[in-house]
Amino acid sequence: DADVTQTPRNRITKTGKRIMLECSQTKGHDRMYWYRQDPGLGLRLIYYSFDVKDINKGEISDGYSVSRQAQAKFSLSLESAIPNQTALYFCATSAGFNQPQHFGDGTRLSIL
Amino acid sequence: SQQGEEDPQALSIQEGENATMNCSYKTSINNLQWYRQNSGRGLVHLILIRSNEREKHSGRLRVTLDTSKKSSSLLITASRAADTASYFCATREGGSEKLVFGKGMKLTVNP
């Protein structure tokens, strides 16, 4: 979905490095989400945000932090990356509680 | 925690055939959603069905929901090679903001 843009698309880095994944959206949605996808495990929610001042932990928030800089921007940080954080990371947005989610094309992150 | 489970995990059919995918879940839900993921891309929303609905259609897609059996099915009619993708069901429990995804099912449509 071109309305949700994730950067970078691919990243290879070393254990212990700090990494930031960025997400921006032009859909005007208040709700934004970060997920990780691992083979055979589906998507798991890391953090979600209802607006700039409302950040909530998801299912697997340990080792991650987020920042909602503006309605349109939601970034995910790995303070000290470890190999088991190697995964595909997705940002998504939603217009409301009973509305579908719109995904970016993901960031493939490899931690050596 | 995993909520929806798709079945079968993989399906291979010929172009023109129908494809049926099933999803089972464990707890009461507010709505159930189906998504498609093409290789290397993000998930694309297909259909959302609310807990008080039994069936919805969108083009070649038909979704049913049986809350008594805690199950849903996605039917793709007259499949095309372009339907080749992974399909996920996702459920929203009660008043929870969280959308819980199944592990996904890979559909291959052979030309």
Side-chain angles (χ1 to χ4, degrees):
Chain A
D1 192 328
D3 298 323
V4 182
T5 303
Q6 292 184 235
T7 56
R9 290 296 315 278
N10 293 280
R11 178 80 184 270
I12 300 173
T13 191
K14 295 181 179 179
T15 298
K17 294 290 188 181
R18 184 178 188 274
I19 302 157
M20 180 180 286
L21 309 183
E22 302 198 26
C23 176
S24 63
Q25 53 118 344
T26 58
K27 299 191 77 69
H29 292 166
D30 287 327
R31 288 167 156 82
M32 296 188 74
Y33 308 82
W34 275 104
Y35 292 92
R36 68 176 277 177
Q37 184 178 32
D38 298 275
L41 291 180
L43 273 74
R44 292 181 291 168
L45 183 63
I46 306 173
Y47 272 96
Y48 61 101
S49 170
F50 290 160
D51 63 37
V52 174
K53 297 180 181 179
D54 189 348
I55 304 290
N56 303 277
K57 292 183 177 181
E59 183 184 357
I60 53 163
S61 58
D62 287 349
Y64 302 94
S65 62
V66 291
S67 174
R68 185 82 183 267
Q69 302 95 323
Q71 187 210 34
K73 295 184 183 295
F74 193 34
S75 59
L76 175 72
S77 293
L78 287 68
E79 297 301 325
S80 180
I82 56 177
N84 74 1
Q85 292 177 312
T86 292
L88 191 51
Y89 289 84
F90 286 104
C91 173
T93 73
S94 176
F97 179 71
N98 256 336
Q99 299 300 313
Q101 294 189 6
H102 301 265
F103 286 77
D105 278 338
T107 294
R108 186 170 297 280
L109 179 62
S110 296
I111 300 164
L112 307 178
Chain B
S1 59
Q2 220 70 43
Q3 168 73 304
E5 291 286 343
E6 297 87 354
D7 172 61
Q9 292 189 339
L11 180 64
S12 181
I13 60 174
Q14 295 301 121
E15 210 165 25
E17 294 180 340
N18 295 341
T20 299
M21 289 161 269
N22 302 299
C23 172
S24 59
Y25 58 92
K26 297 174 183 171
T27 63
S28 297
I29 61 170
N30 182 281
N31 66 60
L32 185 145
Q33 304 179 32
W34 284 93
Y35 289 79
R36 182 188 75 231
Q37 183 181 30
N38 292 94
S39 181
R41 303 298 300 275
L43 279 71
V44 174
H45 179 260
L46 298 176
I47 288 187
L48 182 153
I49 186 165
R50 291 179 169 75
S51 59
N52 61 352
E53 298 176 311
R54 293 296 168 258
E55 187 171 312
K56 282 189 88 168
H57 296 257
S58 177
R60 295 183 296 112
L61 306 181
R62 172 178 171 257
V63 168
T64 61
L65 179 64
D66 187 334
T67 53
S68 67
K69 295 182 179 178
K70 292 186 169 59
S71 67
S72 173
S73 66
L74 170 66
L75 169 67
I76 303 174
T77 60
S79 63
R80 306 167 181 169
D83 294 327
T84 294
S86 292
Y87 291 81
F88 294 84
C89 67
T91 52
R92 190 182 297 283
E93 301 176 13
S96 172
E97 178 63 28
K98 299 174 186 177
L99 195 60
V100 181
F101 287 82
K103 296 178 183 179
M105 193 222 82
K106 186 169 175 60
L107 173 66
T108 302
V109 181
N110 301 299

